[in-house]
Amino acid sequence: MSEAARTVDRMVINPNALGLDLPPGTVRVQPSYWYADEPATPETWSRLLTAREATGLQPVLLTEKQYLGPGRSGDPDDHDLAATLSRLWGLAQEVGEEEPWPGFAAPGTGTVAPDARAALLARELATDDDYFKGARPALVPARRSADIPAALGWGGACNHTDAAVLSTVLRSWEDRFGIRVVGLGSDLMSLSVAAPPRTGEQALAVAREHFAFCPDNVWQGTGSLEEYAEQEVLGQEEWCFWWD
């Protein structure tokens, strides 16, 4: 990425000064983002999408407790996708049981626009009484939704990898499966999926990518890739990740 593009990504933009239909909020710096003063309502996401069109800022819901630091995250442009997933795949497996990286899953086929799917998930998270209870809407200066974790220096997966590496994978999922980064907790990420896998074979291939991205989903969840693919990937329009 050019220095000019890097400068734009670091700019502090105040959407409150643009006459947009936004709830009251505050601009924060280091990292730079706009953050609402009150929790999200089911209608907030649509308002944030309007702001995105006017400002280029990407919408996301953030829980109050966050570990953000732009200095500790690199740039997704500096990472090769295949090499990144291959390395994460190796890290995720048990020592002495490594298998070669099996390659990418085929793209999904969606019938719903990614932003429409994201709006539906945002409505659910806004009324969640558990992990995303009280989450507030935010607008982040990032070129695409997948880059939100890197732009914030999100530290939720710090025991596994950094935010720039996550965004490298998320970019590919955005292209292949129409994902949007809808919610971020202190160690939790919720993605909407407009084009999820529709066959068992494709779901298993995606499950392998999920395992590389977030081993805890399998290690501390279903226990096997096959069960994870069937229960958490096949036809699922939300992908949720949690790092211990």
Side-chain angles (χ1 to χ4, degrees):
M1 180 168 59
S2 68
E3 271 306 310
R6 291 180 191 274
T7 300
V8 169
D9 281 353
R10 290 196 298 266
M11 289 177 63
V12 177
I13 301 174
N14 183 0
N16 292 321
L18 300 179
L20 303 173
D21 180 26
L22 290 175
T26 304
V27 173
R28 303 189 176 193
V29 296
Q30 296 183 347
S32 169
Y33 63 106
W34 172 89
Y35 190 53
D37 295 338
E38 300 293 334
T41 68
E43 294 75 29
T44 301
W45 190 262
S46 297
R47 298 168 72 177
L48 294 186
L49 285 177
T50 301
R52 186 190 67 186
E53 296 303 315
T55 66
L57 301 174
Q58 299 294 329
V60 69
L61 302 183
L62 299 177
T63 62
E64 188 170 355
K65 187 177 182 181
Q66 290 287 344
Y67 301 98
L68 308 177
R72 67 180 173 216
S73 180
D75 192 315
D77 285 347
D78 297 332
H79 297 277
D80 175 78
L81 175 63
T84 294
L85 272 173
S86 179
R87 180 177 63 83
L88 292 177
W89 172 257
L91 290 174
Q93 297 179 86
E94 297 289 349
V95 175
E97 298 181 4
E98 291 89 348
E99 298 178 4
W101 163 239
F104 300 110
T109 302
T111 58
V112 178
D115 286 340
R117 177 60 62 201
L120 292 174
L121 177 57
R123 291 182 67 89
E124 294 179 18
L125 297 187
T127 57
D128 179 46
D129 288 328
D130 198 355
Y131 298 110
F132 283 95
K133 184 176 182 179
R136 299 191 206 176
L139 290 167
V140 179
R143 285 170 291 164
R144 55 194 294 182
S145 181
D147 286 357
I148 289 172
L152 291 173
W154 185 70
C158 62
N159 290 331
H160 181 52
T161 192
D162 65 39
V165 170
L166 296 179
S167 286
T168 299
V169 179
L170 291 170
R171 284 178 173 184
S172 181
W173 290 351
E174 189 172 332
D175 294 337
R176 286 183 288 153
F177 306 108
I179 68 98
R180 294 290 186 267
V181 179
V182 177
L184 291 173
S186 60
D187 57 4
L188 186 71
M189 177 184 296
S190 177
L191 310 178
S192 62
V193 189
R198 303 295 183 184
T199 68
E201 181 180 2
Q202 186 191 27
L204 183 57
V206 172
R208 294 188 183 103
E209 295 189 28
H210 282 203
F211 181 55
F213 187 80
C214 179
D216 291 320
N217 269 26
V218 176
W219 282 348
Q220 301 189 47
T222 59
S224 76
L225 281 171
E226 291 75 16
E227 289 182 277
Y228 178 80
E230 181 179 352
Q231 297 174 21
E232 306 296 338
V233 179
L234 183 62
Q236 295 299 311
E237 295 168 341
E238 177 188 10
W239 294 345
C240 193
F241 301 95
W242 169 76
W243 291 265
D244 193 359

